[in-house]
Amino acid sequence: QVQLQESGPGLVKPSETLSLTCGVSGGSITSDYWSWIRQVPGRGLQWIGYIYYSGGPNYNPSLKSRVTISIDTSKNQFSLKLDSATAADTAIYYCANGPGATRLTSWGQGTLVTVSS
Amino acid sequence: QSVLTQPPSASGTPGQRVTISCSGSSSNIGNNFVFWYQQLPGTAPKLLIYRSNQRPSGVPDRFSGSKSDTSASLAISGLRSEDEADYFCASWDDNLSGVLFGGGTTLTVL
């Protein structure tokens, strides 16, 4: 299994773009599904979207207008951008991967992002 | 409606068998595999069951999954204190064309 590590600002101002990167080690990013999931502390999991190297991205319809997930093969990492952030986007953001969109075998430790002025 | 419904809580005593349910619809569980994740306090989720009833290597056989029609269940036998965690079901939803997670069940070992 690969190891994943999220990085990015822990504080984002409302209306700005939330940007996170997931570094991948122990495996290549040119296979499998690469996903972002978030969790409001103490609450459930919400699927944000995934990108498949040879198949492009797929996003949660409720977030689709604001989300971009991309892959950087030169750095073996993938990224999340969420535009026009609001307080409702405050959550722990996890990157994850696996052989399927629902079969997530490796997870990052998660990073808390707070949207506040 | 694309929703996976789980009971918010479950409990049992050490050694007991407990089950956690996940109810969906024909667009998700009824037509796709179910996956179960265990989230220990303060940690990331971990895959517990895939393809409705398969265990990844390293997951004890005390954990088992089943699916019938539009519902699924996770069973934990020989309950241990270290099983205290949140458990989430997940499935692909054909209407959403994406991944659905259940609301999660908090398991308490009394």
Side-chain angles (χ1 to χ4, degrees):
Chain A
Q1 294 180 354
V2 299
Q3 290 77 50
L4 306 175
Q5 178 66 58
E6 304 91 351
S7 61
L11 181 64
V12 175
K13 288 183 169 53
S15 80
E16 294 189 345
T17 296
L18 185 159
S19 296
L20 295 173
T21 297
C22 183
V24 179
S25 58
S28 172
I29 204 164
T30 57
S31 65
D32 285 352
Y33 290 76
W34 305 92
S35 302
W36 288 96
I37 294 99
R38 70 182 183 180
Q39 182 176 35
V40 174
R43 304 284 295 277
L45 302 170
Q46 182 183 30
W47 172 70
I48 298 172
Y50 65 75
I51 188 164
Y52 186 66
Y53 177 72
S54 61
N58 184 24
Y59 304 131
N60 188 321
S62 69
L63 299 169
K64 187 173 183 177
S65 64
R66 300 193 292 131
V67 172
T68 302
I69 296 175
S70 59
I71 277 183
D72 186 336
T73 56
S74 66
K75 295 181 179 179
N76 219 41
Q77 64 185 31
F78 64 110
S79 300
L80 167 71
K81 291 188 186 299
L82 182 64
D83 297 328
S84 305
T86 71
D89 296 315
T90 294
I92 299 169
Y93 286 75
Y94 294 100
C95 59
N97 105 299
T102 40
R103 186 178 172 180
L104 301 169
T105 52
S106 296
W107 292 67
Q109 65 184 23
T111 187
L112 175 63
V113 179
T114 302
V115 180
S116 174
S117 56
Chain B
Q1 187 176 7
S2 299
V3 174
L4 299 182
T5 302
Q6 297 181 236
S9 63
S11 63
T13 56
Q16 202 172 21
R17 181 179 188 270
V18 297
T19 61
I20 297 171
S21 63
C22 176
S23 178
S25 67
S26 58
S27 66
N28 40 70
I29 294 176
N31 199 38
N32 296 285
F33 290 120
V34 178
F35 298 75
W36 289 92
Y37 292 87
Q38 177 193 57
Q39 187 176 32
L40 297 171
T43 69
K46 167 192 168 185
L47 181 65
L48 204 61
I49 297 289
Y50 68 98
R51 290 185 181 176
S52 303
N53 58 14
Q54 302 297 303
R55 281 187 309 277
S57 61
V59 174
D61 60 6
R62 301 187 297 106
F63 295 90
S64 62
S66 63
K67 189 186 92 160
S68 178
D69 196 16
T70 59
S71 293
S73 292
L74 172 71
I76 309 171
S77 60
L79 199 61
R80 298 183 177 183
S81 58
E82 58 260 38
D83 298 332
E84 274 206 347
D86 291 329
Y87 293 86
F88 296 92
C89 59
S91 182
W92 182 264
D93 187 274
D94 296 331
N95 291 340
L96 185 69
S97 290
V99 179
L100 269 183
F101 285 99
T105 299
T106 298
L107 175 64
T108 301
V109 181
L110 302 170

